[in-house]
């Protein structure tokens, strides 16, 4: 309903939008630079951020654009599993047989990684999402699993993705060895006020709408209300556009943003 009122060809704030039209925030660009460095040096990287900050999307985007003839990508989103289940998932992702013995799978996975690097000349990247939920024994095993030739060589890249709380977990003495092996850390700050200004302008131009629909006060209100979350920002914007259309407003101001925020909080 609001699309017709604001003269939009489609909803530019939908999560279903074409990946080629995705807006690249400051966090997104910073993450790409760090991921590129991590892949060149190999080792372990830790990327953290609050829900909706865009960390998972940024990392998936990077991985999806790597050359499949040079890289083997394993993405594991299931982290609330037992140690044995984790090994099963990793073995299956690598195309290996699954055994009841963790030790047998451990050596099988290590040997496969060596073969992949030395014979197939492929770089293995393992990305684990929601890493803050990983059990202690899995975190401990990750350090051992990726040790090759007495720590003289990094044959794979491990990317841990999670909420900031994982930093506290890894600071504990039991994980000191793993923490020391993290060669790249980046914490997503979330979408900034400057990002929001550029994001809205970019999205509105994308659909042929007036780039001045949102006034400067509304941008400040949006920045304060979304808590750095792009996901939450889109929800507020869509609701504000609906309210503005119903009220026959000429622009979106801070009052409409506050109404939108209140409406969302009641859902």
């Amino acid at each position: 309903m609001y699309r017709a009122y604001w003269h939009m060809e489609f909803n530019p704030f939908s999560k279903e939008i074409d990946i080629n039209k995705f807006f690249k925030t400051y966090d997104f660009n910073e993450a790409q630079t760090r991921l590129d460095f991590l892949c060149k040096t190999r080792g372990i990287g830790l990327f953290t951020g609050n829900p909706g900050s865009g960390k998972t999307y940024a990392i998936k985007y990077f991985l999806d654009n790597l050359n499949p003839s040079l890289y083997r990508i394993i993405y594991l989103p299931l982290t609330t599993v037992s140690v044995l289940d984790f090994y099963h998932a990793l073995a299956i992702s690598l195309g290996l047989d699954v055994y009841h013995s963790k030790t047998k799978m451990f050596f099988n996975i290590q040997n496969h990684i060596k073969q992949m690097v030395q014979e197939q000349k492929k770089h293995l990247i393992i990305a684990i999402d929601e890493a803050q939920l990983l059990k202690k024994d899995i975190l401990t095993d990750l350090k051992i699993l990726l040790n090759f030739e007495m720590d003289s060589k990094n044959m794979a890249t491990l990317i841990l993705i999670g909420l900031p709380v994982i930093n506290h977990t890894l600071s504990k003495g039991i994980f000191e060895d793993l923490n020391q092996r993290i060669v790249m850390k980046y914490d997503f700050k979330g979408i900034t006020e400057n990002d929001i200004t550029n994001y809205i302008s970019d999205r509105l131009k994308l659909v042929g709408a007036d780039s001045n629909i949102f006034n400067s006060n509304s941008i400040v209100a949006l920045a304060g209300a979304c808590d750095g979350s792009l996901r939450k920002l889109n929800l507020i914007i869509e609701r504000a556009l609906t309210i503005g259309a119903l009220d026959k407003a000429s622009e979106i101001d801070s009052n409409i943003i506050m109404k939108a925020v209140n409406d969302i909080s009641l859902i």
Side-chain angles (χ1 to χ4, degrees), residues 16 22 44 64 77 82 101 110 131 136 141 176 178 185 198 215 219 222 230:
E16 306 299 332
F22 178 78
I44 303 174
D64 287 345
S82 68
S101 166
Q110 271 212 336
K136 178 186 70 174
D141 274 17
E176 184 177 353
L178 176 61
K185 290 184 179 182
N198 295 328
N215 67 24
I219 301 297
L222 280 167
L230 181 59

Side-chain angles (χ1 to χ4, degrees), residues 1-11 207-209 213 241 245:
M1 170 268 182
Y2 69 80
R3 293 196 298 272
Y5 181 83
W6 297 109
H7 307 293
M8 296 180 180
E9 297 174 9
F10 58 88
N11 176 12
V207 295
I213 290 175
L241 289 169

Side-chain angles (χ1 to χ4, degrees), residues 54-108:
K55 56 188 181 298
T56 298
Y57 183 89
I59 291 166
K60 279 190 171 182
Y61 179 94
F62 178 84
L63 297 178
D64 287 345
N65 283 279
L66 291 175
N67 187 336
S69 64
L70 300 177
Y71 294 89
R72 176 70 184 278
I73 311 298
I74 303 296
Y75 175 73
L76 299 175
L78 298 174
T79 51
T80 56
V81 294
S82 68
V83 176
L84 194 58
D85 285 338
F86 177 80
Y87 274 93
H88 284 171
L90 184 54
I92 291 170
S93 297
L94 289 168
L96 302 176
D97 292 331
V98 172
Y99 302 101
H100 292 299
S101 166
K102 187 190 86 169
T103 302
K104 192 170 184 178
M105 283 193 294
F106 175 91
F107 287 110
N108 204 23

Side-chain angles (χ1 to χ4, degrees), residues 233-262:
L233 174 68
N234 283 333
L235 286 174
I236 298 171
I237 287 175
E238 288 189 58
R239 186 58 190 155
L241 289 169
T242 300
I243 293 172
L246 290 171
D247 291 349
K248 293 184 170 34
S250 60
E251 64 178 7
I252 303 296
D253 59 19
S254 58
N255 289 327
I256 292 177
I257 296 299
M258 289 301 101
K259 287 181 183 179
V261 171
N262 289 334

Side-chain angles (χ1 to χ4, degrees), residues 18-267:
D18 189 317
I19 189 172
N20 294 317
K21 297 174 181 175
F22 178 78
F23 180 79
K24 298 174 181 178
T25 64
Y26 174 83
D27 272 337
F28 178 92
N29 291 325
E30 288 293 307
Q32 302 308 300
T33 301
R34 285 162 171 76
L35 286 163
D36 183 62
F37 172 83
L38 178 63
C39 283
K40 288 176 180 175
T41 58
R42 305 197 183 191
I44 303 174
L46 176 63
F47 293 81
T48 57
N50 290 322
S53 59
K55 56 188 181 298
T56 298
Y57 183 89
I59 291 166
K60 279 190 171 182
Y61 179 94
F62 178 84
L63 297 178
D64 287 345
N65 283 279
L66 291 175
N67 187 336
S69 64
L70 300 177
Y71 294 89
R72 176 70 184 278
I73 311 298
I74 303 296
Y75 175 73
L76 299 175
L78 298 174
T79 51
T80 56
V81 294
S82 68
V83 176
L84 194 58
D85 285 338
F86 177 80
Y87 274 93
H88 284 171
L90 184 54
I92 291 170
S93 297
L94 289 168
L96 302 176
D97 292 331
V98 172
Y99 302 101
H100 292 299
S101 166
K102 187 190 86 169
T103 302
K104 192 170 184 178
M105 283 193 294
F106 175 91
F107 287 110
N108 204 23
I109 289 170
Q110 271 212 336
N111 288 332
H112 183 76
I113 293 174
K114 284 183 181 180
Q115 181 186 40
M116 189 183 304
V117 173
Q118 296 173 348
E119 297 179 17
Q120 300 177 23
K121 306 301 181 184
K122 279 198 171 185
H123 179 173
L124 174 65
I125 300 178
I126 303 171
I128 303 176
D129 210 345
E130 301 295 345
Q132 78 278 357
L133 300 176
L134 285 170
K135 295 184 184 301
K136 178 186 70 174
D137 291 341
I138 296 176
L139 284 170
T140 302
D141 274 17
L142 282 172
K143 173 182 69 72
I144 305 171
L145 185 67
L146 296 177
N147 279 353
F148 292 92
E149 300 176 14
M150 301 298 291
D151 285 343
S152 65
K153 190 178 296 183
N154 287 326
M155 290 199 178
T157 294
L158 173 65
I159 301 174
L160 298 174
I161 314 158
L163 298 180
V165 67
I166 192 175
N167 287 301
H168 174 69
T169 301
L170 292 175
S171 69
K172 296 178 180 178
I174 191 174
F175 300 122
E176 184 177 353
D177 286 348
L178 176 61
N179 204 16
Q180 288 178 353
R181 283 172 170 79
I182 297 175
V183 298
M184 174 58 66
K185 290 184 179 182
Y186 183 70
D187 181 54
F188 281 66
K189 305 299 186 292
I191 193 163
T192 65
E193 186 174 321
N194 186 59
D195 277 334
I196 292 172
T197 299
N198 295 328
Y199 174 67
I200 290 176
S201 176
D202 180 82
R203 298 297 87 180
L204 294 177
K205 287 178 183 177
L206 194 63
V207 295
D210 184 355
S211 60
N212 297 314
I213 290 175
F214 290 79
N215 67 24
S216 58
N217 289 333
S218 72
I219 301 297
V220 175
L222 280 167
C226 74
D227 300 319
S229 168
L230 181 59
R231 188 183 307 142
K232 189 173 181 180
L233 174 68
N234 283 333
L235 286 174
I236 298 171
I237 287 175
E238 288 189 58
R239 186 58 190 155
L241 289 169
T242 300
I243 293 172
L246 290 171
D247 291 349
K248 293 184 170 34
S250 60
E251 64 178 7
I252 303 296
D253 59 19
S254 58
N255 289 327
I256 292 177
I257 296 299
M258 289 301 101
K259 287 181 183 179
V261 171
N262 289 334
D263 277 6
I264 292 171
S265 65
L266 292 174
I267 297 176

